[in-house]
Amino acid sequence: MNETRALAGSWVTLEPFSAANRAEVRRLDVSRQRTPNLGGAAIRLDAMKSFGPAMLIRANTTGEAFGLVENAEMTGYPGVAVVLIFVDPDLARPGVAMEAFAIYVQHVFASGARLVHIEVVEFNEPVLRMLHRIGVGQQARLRDQMYTGGRFWDVLVFGFDSEQFKMVWSRYARILPGGNRKPAALGSRPRA
C-alpha cells in the first residue's frame, strides 16, 4: 500500500497523524470539541473508508500545529467524501485555512473521491462567508440538526465535484501563494 506523505504548501504543511504528532493532535482535538461551530464530529480513525488519511495542519514559518483535516466516505454514497477541517482560531492567521483546505481537497479528489460534502452550522458566519465568496453554493438546509449553546441550529450542506472545485479555485487562488495556479502549484507536492 502506498503510504501518504506530508503535503507541503507555501504557508502550511499537512502531515498524516502519527506517533510523532499524537500529542499535538490530541491537544487540537480537545480544542475542537470546545468549538462546535468549527469542529464537527470527533476524529474517526476507524472510518470504514476514506480518501486519504486525517492530517495535522502545521505552519511552515513557525512549525506550530494549528489545525486538523480529515475525511470519510459518506455512508450509503460511494465516492462522496465528507471533509472536516478544524483550525484553532487562536493560532491561525488569515488565509492559511484556505490553503490547507485546498491542498487537502485536491488530495481527496486525487485519492478517488467523486464529490466532496461539507456541513456548516448556520452560526459559523466566517466559513459561510468564505464559501459564498469563493462561489460554493448551498445544496441543502438540515433544520434543527445540532444542539449547542442552549438551542437547536440548522446545518447547511455544501458539495462539489473536482471540476467545480477547479472553477472555484481559479477564482480564489490569486490571493494565496502561487497566484492564479491550481493548488498543486501552491507546493502541495509530497514531502520526503
Side-chain angles (χ1 to χ4, degrees), residues 122-133:
E122 72 176 312
F123 64 78
N124 191 345
E125 292 179 13
V127 171
L128 293 173
R129 275 193 307 271
M130 185 266 307
L131 289 170
H132 176 72
R133 184 174 53 239

Side-chain angles (χ1 to χ4, degrees), residues 7 14 25 40 65 103 121-123 130 158 186:
L7 304 172
L14 308 181
V25 169
I103 293 168
V121 180
E122 72 176 312
F123 64 78
M130 185 266 307
F158 300 84
L186 287 173

Side-chain angles (χ1 to χ4, degrees), residues 44-71:
R44 290 201 50 215
L45 299 176
D46 64 337
M48 294 299 288
K49 181 175 181 192
S50 67
F51 302 96
M55 299 181 118
L56 181 77
I57 306 169
R58 188 177 301 283
N60 289 343
T61 55
T62 65
E64 183 173 30
F66 65 86
L68 308 166
V69 285
E70 62 181 302
N71 80 89

Side-chain angles (χ1 to χ4, degrees), residues 11-12 14 38 57-59 66-69 83-89 91-105 126-127 130 134 165 169 172 176-177 186:
W11 291 343
V12 300
L14 308 181
L38 296 175
I57 306 169
R58 188 177 301 283
F66 65 86
L68 308 166
V69 285
V83 173
L84 297 174
I85 182 168
F86 168 72
V87 174
D88 189 319
L91 301 176
R93 69 178 214 256
V96 295
M98 188 60 192
E99 184 186 41
F101 179 75
I103 293 168
Y104 194 67
V105 166
V127 171
M130 185 266 307
I134 66 173
F165 176 68
W169 186 253
Y172 195 72
L176 293 177
L186 287 173

